[in-house]
Amino acid sequence: MKKIIALLVIVGLFSLQGCTTSGSLEITPITPTSEVFEVTTSFNSSNNYSKLVTLNPPIYSTDTVLAYRLTSTTGPDVWKLLPETHYFTDGTLDFGYDFNYTNYDVKIYMVGSNLQTVTDQYRLNQVIRIVIVPASFATSIDKNNFEGVMAALKMNDTQIQKINL
């Protein structure tokens, strides 16, 4: 009986040995990338006062998207963060711009009660910049300042991708 138990112990030791490897596992970190796109679009009744911009390839679910509208070109360019609103003199909403996004696209649109009466300077040939911000930067930058966002992301105007819609 002692021989059988000793044999079972030896067989058990060999059968319970784990596999070992001599190689090491290398993990390549994913480097967060920022992108900036520029779109010129017009808002009218035929496009329901909106424009859909497809992101190819899709962005990560942790990325943040910012959108800016060019509001002045006299002197240095002035970019306003969306949402942007314009009010009547009595303080009620006249019209505004807003956006939403998924991993696959960004929708930029106008809001207001009577958009067909908004003057052409606010509807036609609007220049929008869409900034993809990696999650690691999203909380540490001043989103209201387009130039500051570009500086924080270490990007310049030559890296802006123009999209023709």
Side-chain angles (χ1 to χ4, degrees), residues 7 14 17 23 27 50 52-53 56 70 81 98 100-103 113 121 123 128 130 140 155 161:
L7 182 61
F14 284 114
Q17 289 290 324
I27 299 174
S50 67
L52 188 67
V53 178
N56 189 13
L70 181 62
L81 178 65
D98 206 347
N100 59 44
Y101 67 93
T102 68
N103 296 42
S113 58
Q121 96 180 56
R123 288 187 307 105
I128 309 290
I130 299 166
S140 64
M155 297 191 73
Q161 304 170 48

Side-chain angles (χ1 to χ4, degrees), residues 51-59 65 99-108 130 132:
K51 185 55 77 175
L52 188 67
V53 178
T54 303
L55 301 173
N56 189 13
I59 63 172
V65 174
F99 77 103
N100 59 44
Y101 67 93
T102 68
N103 296 42
Y104 305 97
D105 56 48
V106 178
K107 182 179 181 181
I108 304 152
I130 299 166
I132 311 300

Side-chain angles (χ1 to χ4, degrees), residues 8-135:
L8 287 175
V9 169
I10 293 173
V11 170
L13 286 175
F14 284 114
S15 66
L16 295 177
Q17 289 290 324
C19 296
T20 60
T21 61
S22 60
S24 63
L25 176 63
E26 287 186 35
I27 299 174
T28 305
I30 297 174
T31 304
T33 57
S34 304
E35 294 181 286
V36 181
F37 303 100
E38 183 174 292
V39 177
T40 300
T41 188
S42 294
F43 299 100
N44 52 52
S45 59
S46 65
N47 64 14
N48 201 26
Y49 300 95
S50 67
K51 185 55 77 175
L52 188 67
V53 178
T54 303
L55 301 173
N56 189 13
I59 63 172
Y60 295 108
S61 61
T62 55
D63 288 345
T64 298
V65 174
L66 304 173
Y68 297 86
R69 187 180 75 86
L70 181 62
T71 60
S72 176
T73 56
T74 54
D77 291 347
V78 177
W79 296 94
K80 284 190 99 175
L81 178 65
L82 300 186
E84 174 189 354
T85 52
H86 296 260
Y87 297 95
F88 288 117
T89 54
D90 68 358
T92 59
L93 174 68
D94 182 4
F95 70 95
Y97 305 90
D98 206 347
F99 77 103
N100 59 44
Y101 67 93
T102 68
N103 296 42
Y104 305 97
D105 56 48
V106 178
K107 182 179 181 181
I108 304 152
Y109 55 94
M110 290 186 73
V111 294
S113 58
N114 200 2
L115 295 176
Q116 64 270 16
T117 63
V118 175
T119 62
D120 289 350
Q121 96 180 56
Y122 291 103
R123 288 187 307 105
L124 304 180
N125 300 315
Q126 298 299 299
V127 180
I128 309 290
R129 286 194 175 165
I130 299 166
V131 182
I132 311 300
V133 180

